[in-house]
């Protein structure tokens, strides 16, 4: 037996011009509500029944009028068709178990037989439901389809596709704008927005799916809905219908008064007369969040009282699904915001190094994780490069990661050696809990000396891509993970030649169920070398493109963990662009500093900056000499800006203040703040450094 589904759902691969989901179109202009009707559903390839066939068979007679015995002609409702003469009018079972909703009203014997056999129906009409069990199967299949949706649009589309044309010929879905989330109490008036409409297409090919109408498109009856937004007035007719929660027929007095408010001026013209429209409020867990309007054309049997129960089930399941989708969207938003605030929003631009980064979550459902990266400017134009990985990829992991990252930033501000930073991070992890484990790699790059100092706490080793295209896995002592306790960390100092690129990453990039970590590291090294060959031996690959190429090495089964990636291109500062002096803490030091700065600027061809540089250098050195007990350091760096750094052995940081008219001092930092492009002060383990930058003329 061949099964003929009654659902008019569009199959995959159908014409993209399918008008399903668009506004309902009809070749005639809108009619008054008493005669309004939706366009008839068309099904091709089915033979028309003879005009008198269904009536004759309903009365137990053959077409010639001769009485037929119940056991020979199938006149009994419960008789089975014979094998020799198949019953072509008997409704076929539906694959999804979604029968079509019956019509309503008092029916004659002939009409009752038509409901059982399907004879006498207009061509292309869906087969009617024959019993209450059909409604139950329809509701079960429709709610399963609605429940398959995750986000808001999928749930609303599931409601529309499950009901049209099986239950109704058209549907309009309104939702609150904005939708309330959880237990929050929205403020302001209740506003409904038309979220989606759906209807039966004008033409349907039983073999190829839906086809658009060949004739020019005519004005749509649903275009009579003039307002997409509807404000529900307190005490109004629409408010009373929504508060009642139960679906109502559109011809009821309450619905007739509410529809103009919902559909807009003239919108009630789309509603057919009689019991051919149902208005169903959508109630979530705590409040009404919208409404659905089910419509049937005048060529189809009207709704029955039992259809109100079907509409109530559809509305309830849809509203609960929308509630969950909104909560899911809020959770996803919170996770995204948490991860975004845990990671650097933008990377700094320290002198002598360029940076690029990437972060990938483990999956769309796990948007947060414990991987992090950071780049922290340090005194002396140095920069700290950090990458770490807390066990797991959950909210807890992200919270622990945020605490460890904040601790690392604080320790970096103290200018502690890398091994000391990891030691304090280990202590902090133990204070957070005995099971708080993480790996971390901390490196400090000095662009003046072209050296990098690295300490490792159980993290995969970094890879250094040289300018000639050779990729090298750096030999760094592995150390123990953070949180173990009682472990000493060791730091190594390595060369960082100009043009080289250091790649720091988490184990999610190189380790998965399909490969071990060392196999992944070797593949990463080969990938970097291959990318470097594309740009030649004299030109390093662009950082952003290099990060993208590295992530392209991930296969379909390699996304078991989140991934953090930090790439640093070492440009360095040439020795000819650095001037460095020691000054004794004496009264003559400010004058000596002015002369040395003037000579350096003259050598660099920057004499036009001498006046401002000499003034600021004199003020900063004067403050340092006043309290220092050891020699003061003065360093000038020529890069895209001119940077001056003055160091002393006093840990107290200077503060900008407004000097009074009677004060003899206190104006040095005020001048620095007004004339310099940027300035700051950083505490060191041996004192502090005060620096300022000036734009080059």
């Amino acid at each position: 037996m061949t099964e003929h589904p009654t659902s008019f759902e569009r199959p995959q691969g159908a014409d993209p011009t399918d008008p399903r989901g668009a506004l309902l179109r009809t070749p005639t202009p809108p009619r008054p509500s008493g005669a309004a009707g939706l366009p008839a559903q068309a099904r091709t390839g089915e033979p028309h029944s003879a005009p008198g066939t269904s009536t004759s068979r309903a009365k137990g007679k053959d077409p010639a009028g001769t009485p037929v015995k119940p056991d020979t002609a199938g006149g009994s409702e419960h008789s089975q068709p014979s094998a020799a003469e198949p019953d072509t009018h008997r409704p076929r079972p539906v694959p999804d178990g979604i029968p079509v909703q019956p019509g309503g009203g008092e029916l004659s014997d002939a009409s009752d037989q038509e409901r059982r056999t399907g004879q006498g129906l207009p061509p292309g009409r869906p087969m009617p439901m024959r019993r209450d069990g059909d409604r139950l199967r329809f509701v079960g299949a429709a709610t399963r389809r609605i429940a398959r949706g995750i986000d808001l649009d999928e749930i609303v589309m599931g409601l529309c596709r499950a009901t049209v044309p099986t239950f109704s010929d058209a549907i309009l879905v309104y939702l609150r704008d904005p939708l309330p989330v959880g237990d929050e109490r929205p403020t302001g008036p209740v506003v409904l927005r038309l979220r989606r409409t759906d209807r039966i297409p004008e033409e349907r090919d039983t073999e190829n799916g839906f086809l658009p109408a060949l004739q020019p498109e005519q004005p749509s009856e649903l275009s009579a809905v003039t307002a997409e937004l509807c404000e529900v007035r307190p005490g109004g007719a629409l408010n009373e219908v929504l508060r009642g929660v139960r679906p109502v027929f559109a011809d009821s007095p309450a619905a007739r008064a509410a529809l103009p408010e919902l559909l807009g001026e003239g919108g009630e013209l789309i509603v057919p007369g009689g019991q051919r429209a149902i208005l169903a409020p959508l109630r979530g867990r705590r409040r009404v969040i919208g409404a659905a309007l089910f419509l049937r054309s005048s060529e189809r049997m009207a709704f029955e009282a039992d259809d109100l129960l079907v509409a109530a089930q559809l509305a309830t399941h849809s509203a609960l699904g929308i509630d969950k989708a909104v909560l899911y969207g809020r959770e996803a938003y919170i996770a995204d915001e948490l991860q975004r605030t845990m990671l650097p929003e933008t990377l700094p631009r320290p002198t002598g190094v360029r940076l690029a980064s990437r972060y990938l979550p483990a999956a769309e459902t796990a948007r947060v994780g414990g991987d992090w990266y950071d780049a922290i400017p340090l005194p002396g134009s140095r920069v700290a490069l950090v990458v770490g990985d807390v066990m797991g990829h959950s909210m807890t992991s992200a919270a622990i990661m945020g605490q460890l990252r904040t601790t690392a930033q604080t320790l970096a501000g103290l200018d502690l050696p890398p091994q000391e930073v990891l030691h304090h991070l280990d202590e902090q992890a133990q204070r957070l809990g005995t099971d708080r484990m993480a790996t971390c790699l901390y490196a400090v790059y000095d662009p003046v000396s072209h050296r990098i100092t690295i300490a490792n706490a159980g993290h995969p080793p970094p890879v250094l891509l040289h300018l000639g295209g050779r990729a090298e896995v750096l030999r760094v002592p592995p150390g123990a993970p953070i949180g173990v306790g009682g472990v000493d960390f060791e730091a190594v100092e390595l060369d960082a030649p100009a043009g080289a690129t250091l790649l720091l990453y988490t184990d999610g990039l190189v380790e998965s169920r399909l490969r071990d970590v060392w196999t992944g590291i070797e593949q990463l090294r080969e990938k970097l070398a291959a990318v470097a060959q594309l740009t030649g031996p004299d030109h390093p690959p662009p950082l952003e493109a290099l990060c993208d190429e590295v992530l392209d090495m991930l296969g379909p089964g390699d996304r078991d963990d989140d991934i953090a990636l930090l790439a640093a291109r070492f440009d360095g500062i040439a020795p000819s662009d650095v001037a460095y002096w020691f000054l004794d803490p004496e009264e003559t030091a400010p004058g000596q500093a002015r002369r040395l700065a003037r000579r350096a600027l003259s050598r660099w061809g920057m004499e036009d900056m001498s006046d401002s540089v000499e003034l600021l250098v004199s003020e900063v050195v004067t403050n340092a000499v006043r309290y220092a007990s050891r020699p003061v350091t003065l360093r000038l760096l020529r890069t895209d800006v001119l940077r001056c750094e003055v160091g002393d052995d006093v840990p107290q940081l200077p503060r900008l203040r407004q000097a009074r008219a009677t004060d003899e001092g206190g104006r040095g930092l005020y001048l620095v703040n007004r004339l310099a492009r940027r300035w700051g002060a950083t505490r060191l383990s041996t004192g502090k450094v005060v620096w300022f930058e000036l734009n080059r003329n």
Side-chain angles (χ1 to χ4, degrees):
M1 178 181 293
T2 303
E3 295 184 352
H4 300 277
T6 58
S7 175
F8 279 38
E9 185 177 349
R10 169 185 170 180
Q12 294 183 356
D15 193 327
T17 59
D18 172 16
R20 188 179 183 85
L23 297 180
L24 183 63
R25 302 192 177 279
T26 178
T28 58
R31 293 170 294 178
S33 58
L38 302 177
Q41 174 185 356
R43 174 183 293 179
T44 62
E46 294 186 2
H48 291 260
S49 301
T53 301
S54 60
T55 306
S56 300
R57 295 180 62 87
K59 294 179 178 299
K61 299 181 180 180
D62 62 9
T66 305
V68 181
K69 296 182 179 181
D71 57 345
T72 60
S76 173
E77 181 180 350
H78 305 288
S79 62
Q80 300 295 329
S82 64
E85 184 181 357
D87 185 4
T88 58
H89 303 291
R90 185 178 180 85
R92 301 300 196 258
V94 182
D96 288 339
I98 308 181
V100 179
Q101 182 69 5
E106 296 295 333
L107 301 177
S108 62
D109 293 341
S111 299
D112 186 62
Q113 183 70 10
E114 290 174 0
R115 293 184 56 188
R116 293 195 297 267
T117 64
Q119 297 184 17
L121 294 177
R125 300 314 308 167
M127 194 66 65
M129 296 182 186
R130 295 172 298 162
R131 57 182 68 90
D132 292 338
D134 293 340
R135 288 190 177 90
L136 295 177
R137 285 191 292 272
F138 163 70
V139 171
T143 53
R144 284 194 300 271
R145 180 164 189 170
I146 294 170
R148 285 199 296 263
I150 296 179
D151 61 15
L152 183 61
D153 291 332
E154 289 179 348
I155 293 173
V156 175
M157 181 180 294
L159 171 63
C160 295
R161 294 297 172 88
T163 55
V164 177
T166 309
F167 181 70
S168 62
D169 292 338
I171 184 175
L172 292 84
V173 181
Y174 289 82
L175 295 180
R176 290 185 64 166
D177 187 25
L179 280 167
V181 181
D183 297 332
E184 69 179 17
R185 295 182 176 274
T187 59
V190 177
V191 177
L192 299 182
R193 177 183 292 274
L194 181 61
R195 186 77 184 194
R196 185 177 175 84
T197 65
D198 207 351
R199 64 169 180 84
I200 294 179
E202 286 132 344
E203 291 191 8
R204 178 179 183 270
D205 189 336
T206 56
E207 295 182 358
N208 302 321
F210 292 106
L211 295 177
L214 298 179
Q215 66 273 16
E217 294 184 349
Q218 301 295 328
S220 167
E221 284 189 356
L222 292 188
S223 62
V225 182
T226 58
E228 289 191 0
L229 289 177
C230 163
E231 181 176 340
V232 181
R233 297 188 300 270
L238 180 59
N239 182 66
E240 293 301 320
V241 173
L242 296 180
R243 287 182 58 187
V245 178
R246 298 180 180 276
V248 294
F249 288 118
D251 60 350
S252 65
R256 281 200 302 268
L259 286 176
E261 184 179 349
L262 177 67
L263 303 177
E265 184 179 356
E268 67 275 7
L269 297 177
I270 72 167
V271 181
Q275 294 184 352
R276 286 185 166 81
I278 295 178
L279 178 60
L282 302 179
R283 179 176 177 82
R285 293 185 304 143
R286 285 176 170 79
R287 60 183 66 86
V288 174
I289 60 174
L293 183 61
F294 304 94
L295 304 174
R296 281 187 181 177
S297 67
S298 57
E299 298 156 351
R300 186 173 180 176
M301 287 179 287
F303 288 111
E304 295 178 337
D306 290 342
D307 293 328
L308 294 178
L309 301 178
V310 175
Q313 289 289 328
L314 297 175
T316 299
H317 283 275
S318 301
L320 293 177
I322 292 171
D323 252 357
K324 293 177 181 179
V326 173
L327 289 174
Y328 173 78
R330 171 60 64 88
E331 292 294 328
Y333 170 78
I334 293 174
D336 289 339
E337 286 296 303
L338 176 62
Q339 189 68 62
R340 185 185 64 81
T341 54
M342 290 294 183
L343 296 175
E345 186 173 354
T346 57
L347 291 173
R349 297 181 178 179
T351 303
V353 61
R354 285 173 287 170
L355 303 171
S357 63
R358 294 290 188 276
Y359 175 81
L360 291 179
E364 285 297 325
T365 55
R367 298 170 183 258
V368 293
D371 291 13
W372 90 91
Y373 61 88
D374 217 338
I376 309 169
L378 298 178
S381 299
R382 297 170 300 153
V383 59
L385 307 174
V386 191
V387 64
D389 182 5
V390 179
M391 289 191 309
H393 37 79
S394 61
M395 290 286 189
T396 302
S397 301
I400 297 173
M401 176 265 286
Q403 297 181 66
L404 293 180
R405 179 178 175 237
T406 302
T407 303
Q409 289 180 330
T410 304
L411 296 172
L414 300 177
D415 198 30
L416 297 178
Q419 64 271 22
E420 290 296 324
V421 172
L422 295 183
H423 175 72
H424 289 291
L425 283 176
D426 180 58
E427 292 180 338
Q428 175 66 13
Q430 294 180 65
R431 285 191 289 267
L432 294 177
T434 56
D435 58 343
R436 307 310 188 195
M437 305 284 291
T439 62
C440 182
L441 191 143
Y442 188 94
V444 176
Y445 170 67
D446 190 343
V448 177
S449 64
H450 297 269
R451 303 281 287 179
I452 185 169
T453 306
I454 306 176
N456 191 8
H459 204 77
V463 180
L464 184 65
L465 179 63
H466 294 270
L467 184 59
R470 181 174 64 92
E472 174 189 7
V473 179
L474 299 182
R475 295 184 177 181
V476 180
I482 292 173
V484 174
V487 179
D488 291 332
F489 299 98
E490 182 181 354
V492 295
E493 188 173 352
L494 304 171
D495 289 331
T501 304
L502 184 70
L503 196 71
L504 308 179
Y505 53 91
T506 56
D507 58 355
L509 180 65
V510 295
E511 185 180 19
S512 69
R513 293 170 294 177
L514 305 179
R515 60 182 177 181
D516 62 85
V517 61
W518 289 108
T519 301
I521 292 175
E522 181 61 22
Q523 292 179 359
L524 174 61
R525 188 193 66 79
E526 295 175 354
K527 182 70 173 180
L528 291 174
V531 174
Q533 295 299 325
L534 299 177
T535 57
D538 300 329
H539 302 281
L543 274 183
E544 298 294 339
L546 180 64
C547 291
D548 293 336
E549 290 292 335
V550 167
L551 294 179
D552 284 343
M553 65 178 283
L554 297 173
D558 293 338
R559 290 291 300 280
D560 298 330
D561 197 2
D562 46 342
I563 299 171
L565 179 66
L566 179 64
R569 173 71 44 76
F570 300 143
D571 294 332
I573 300 176
S576 58
D577 293 331
V578 181
Y580 192 84
W581 304 279
F582 286 93
L583 305 175
D584 292 329
E586 300 175 353
E587 294 181 357
T588 59
Q592 184 182 1
R594 290 193 296 269
R595 291 191 297 272
L596 294 173
R598 188 184 309 115
R599 292 175 189 172
L601 293 176
S602 177
R603 185 171 68 251
W604 291 335
M606 303 169 62
E607 294 88 349
D608 52 349
M609 299 181 62
S610 295
D611 293 340
S612 56
V613 172
E614 289 182 35
L615 175 61
L616 299 184
V617 165
S618 177
E619 293 294 338
V620 176
V621 171
T622 299
N623 290 337
V625 169
R626 180 176 300 176
Y627 304 104
S629 58
R630 296 180 181 180
V632 175
T633 60
L634 172 63
R635 185 165 73 169
L636 295 180
L637 302 173
R638 183 184 63 168
T639 57
D640 53 341
V641 297
L642 181 66
R643 182 183 177 96
C644 175
E645 299 173 352
V646 178
D648 58 60
D649 61 345
V650 181
Q652 286 78 17
L653 300 180
R655 297 286 183 245
L656 181 64
R657 63 185 181 89
Q658 186 69 37
R660 293 173 297 187
T662 57
D663 291 342
E664 296 183 0
R667 297 175 177 84
L669 287 181
Y670 177 77
L671 293 174
V672 173
N673 185 61
R674 291 299 299 265
L675 299 179
R677 172 177 174 266
R678 290 195 313 158
W679 76 278
T682 306
R683 184 179 286 111
L684 305 177
S685 57
T686 57
K688 70 174 181 294
V689 169
V690 179
W691 57 270
F692 63 85
E693 293 178 352
L694 294 172
N695 291 322
R696 296 176 57 178
N697 296 333

